[in-house]
Amino acid sequence: MTSLLTFLNKQSLDRRNLIKGAAALAATAATTTAASAATVAPFGQLGSPTQSTDPLPLGPLPGARYPDSHLESAHPKASFGPAGFPAFAGTMAVERVATGMRWAEGPVYFPAGRYVLFSDIPNNRIMRFSEDDGHLSVYRQPSMNSNGNTIDREGRLITCEHSGRRVTRTELDGSITIIADKFNGKKLNSPNDAVVASDGSIWFTDPVYGIGGYYEGVKAEPEQEKHNVYRVDPKSGDVRVVADDFVEPNGIAFSPDEKKLYVIDTGFTDGPDNPSHIRVFDVNVEAGKLGNNKVFADMPKPSITDGVRCDRDGNVWLSVGWGDPKEDGVRGYNSGGDLLGKIHIPETVANLCFGGQQRNRLYICGSSSLYAVYTSVQGALKP
């Protein structure tokens, strides 16, 4: 009888312990779920492709003939093609090579694979255009609302992310390394564009566009008081401010000899008295210092320039959009700031890069589409 009572008491105690354990586990799970729901938000919305209209036609733009009227020299004269403008390469025309994006941005060319990667920011994806067969595909989704992309000297992708509020590097094995996401212990605003110097240092801009709403990022309050240009040291990884007097720093590029740094200010988007121009700095790459800056070129307001690239001859190529449709496209300047000519695109243009096996094909991100045109110069960006 005693053994039976002992057994029953033990069973009752085990049941009570089991119930207590289950209750504690449930409470822990509920707490974990609540904490997770309270602290984790989606990293930007995923794509919602537009299917209500037919995609734009690919190929040479309507009305194209040789020489293409979409190329306009700033100093026309009676000769073959738009004289004095290195966008002219002879028997060629501006082509639409891909379409179907909501807002195309940040193109970069990978010579080893002969493809262009570029961001479709609202659709939260990086797209890949294969130059050899014209195939368009999704490279990465979600992309943390990626914006500007570039390539380092080892052939790795460097990406500025709006919703991630960071600059990342995609390693050769596909893993992702965070290059910069904070400064002075506070989150970056929304890194926009980047360039890599020959010493491996990464220079990037940090306006607030990506945290202004939920369309191209995740709405948040800025933690950085100023909208800075930063440099990431190639050895220590330290992040340092190199310029802090921009309203909205945007596109960024080095001259071919890395003695000049070009940085766009699109502050006009924040107010009519703010700048819509590109500035040029003297730069000491190894020391990470800028000096002697001046306005390189003004844009015709309300248009703004967003992206910038240089060719090997030192010419500066700028995107143009958001204003007079007749100004939509690309502007080319010589190193002294003189306008050489324009490439007219039927959409607002956000950014551009040189590609092709000879680095003589200019790829242009124009709103919903990717455009391309052969030029008589070669892009300066390496590799």
Side-chain angles (χ1 to χ4, degrees):
M1 187 66 173
T2 301
S3 298
L4 179 60
L5 288 174
T6 300
F7 174 76
L8 292 174
N9 288 335
K10 184 177 184 301
Q11 289 292 93
S12 177
L13 181 61
D14 288 344
R15 280 197 298 273
R16 286 196 298 271
N17 289 337
L18 182 62
I19 292 170
K20 289 180 181 179
L25 184 61
T28 301
T31 301
T32 302
T33 302
S36 176
T39 58
V40 177
F43 290 110
Q45 65 183 23
L46 292 181
S48 301
T50 55
Q51 298 177 341
S52 60
T53 59
D54 293 333
L56 294 172
L58 302 181
L61 296 180
R65 62 182 295 276
Y66 301 153
D68 191 351
S69 61
H70 293 91
L71 306 178
E72 177 189 350
S73 174
H75 307 285
K77 62 181 180 180
S79 66
F80 177 68
F85 186 28
F88 179 66
T91 54
M92 44 63 70
V94 179
E95 304 167 81
R96 183 184 290 115
V97 297
T99 190
M101 280 59 70
R102 285 187 180 272
W103 180 243
E105 250 279 21
V108 58
Y109 184 77
F110 282 77
R114 291 193 61 197
Y115 58 81
V116 180
L117 296 183
F118 62 98
S119 298
D120 183 5
I121 305 178
N123 279 331
N124 203 353
R125 60 186 182 174
I126 296 176
M127 305 300 293
R128 174 178 49 217
F129 172 75
S130 297
E131 187 179 59
D132 53 352
D133 64 359
H135 179 65
L136 180 69
S137 60
V138 176
Y139 173 80
R140 177 181 298 160
Q141 188 176 36
S143 66
M144 299 291 193
N145 296 109
S146 63
N147 189 335
N149 296 284
T150 192
I151 186 172
D152 70 7
R153 301 307 169 101
E154 285 72 45
R156 298 171 295 186
L157 173 67
I158 306 295
T159 300
C160 295
E161 300 175 355
H162 278 179
S163 57
R165 300 175 73 170
R166 63 189 190 179
V167 179
T168 63
R169 181 177 64 230
T170 301
E171 307 295 347
L172 298 181
D173 64 1
S175 60
I176 295 177
T177 299
I178 298 174
I179 300 299
D181 62 353
K182 292 182 176 64
F183 176 69
N184 282 345
K186 298 179 180 180
K187 289 183 179 180
L188 298 173
N189 293 324
S190 57
N192 189 285
D193 208 355
V195 66
V196 182
S198 57
D199 68 345
S201 59
I202 298 172
W203 304 60
F204 68 94
T205 59
D206 189 39
V208 294
Y209 295 126
I211 56 175
Y214 295 103
Y215 185 63
E216 294 190 359
V218 177
K219 188 175 182 179
E221 291 297 321
E223 296 187 20
Q224 299 297 329
E225 181 181 355
K226 295 185 177 182
H227 306 165
N228 300 318
V229 180
Y230 295 93
R231 176 185 181 269
V232 183
D233 187 85
K235 296 179 180 179
S236 66
D238 290 339
V239 180
R240 188 165 61 84
V241 173
V242 293
D244 65 356
D245 59 345
F246 282 81
V247 181
E248 296 288 4
N250 208 310
I252 185 170
F254 284 111
S255 62
D257 59 8
E258 293 189 344
K259 293 183 178 180
K260 303 288 184 181
L261 180 71
Y262 297 93
V263 184
I264 290 170
D265 195 335
T266 50
F268 178 71
T269 61
D270 295 1
D273 296 328
N274 290 331
S276 175
H277 61 212
I278 180 170
R279 290 161 60 184
V280 60
F281 295 79
D282 292 336
V283 58
N284 184 325
V285 167
E286 293 184 1
K289 293 183 178 181
L290 302 179
N292 299 324
N293 82 93
K294 65 179 181 180
V295 174
F296 176 77
D298 280 300
M299 291 300 106
K301 293 179 179 179
S303 294
I304 62 172
T305 179
D306 194 327
V308 55
R309 293 291 187 274
C310 291
D311 63 37
R312 289 185 176 179
D313 294 337
N315 300 312
V316 180
W317 301 74
L318 298 168
S319 66
V320 182
W322 292 105
D324 184 348
K326 294 179 181 179
E327 296 292 342
D328 286 348
V330 175
R331 286 186 166 213
Y333 294 82
N334 64 20
S335 59
D338 298 319
L339 180 65
L340 298 175
K342 305 175 184 179
I343 304 174
H344 296 282
I345 301 295
E347 299 186 78
T348 281
V349 172
N351 217 322
L352 66 170
C353 76
F354 284 94
Q357 290 182 301
Q358 302 298 330
R359 301 308 294 258
N360 65 332
R361 198 179 194 195
L362 187 65
Y363 285 99
I364 303 165
C365 281
S367 301
S368 68
S369 304
L370 181 68
Y371 298 83
V373 60
Y374 284 100
T375 71
S376 57
V377 290
Q378 295 178 302
L381 184 65
K382 299 177 181 180

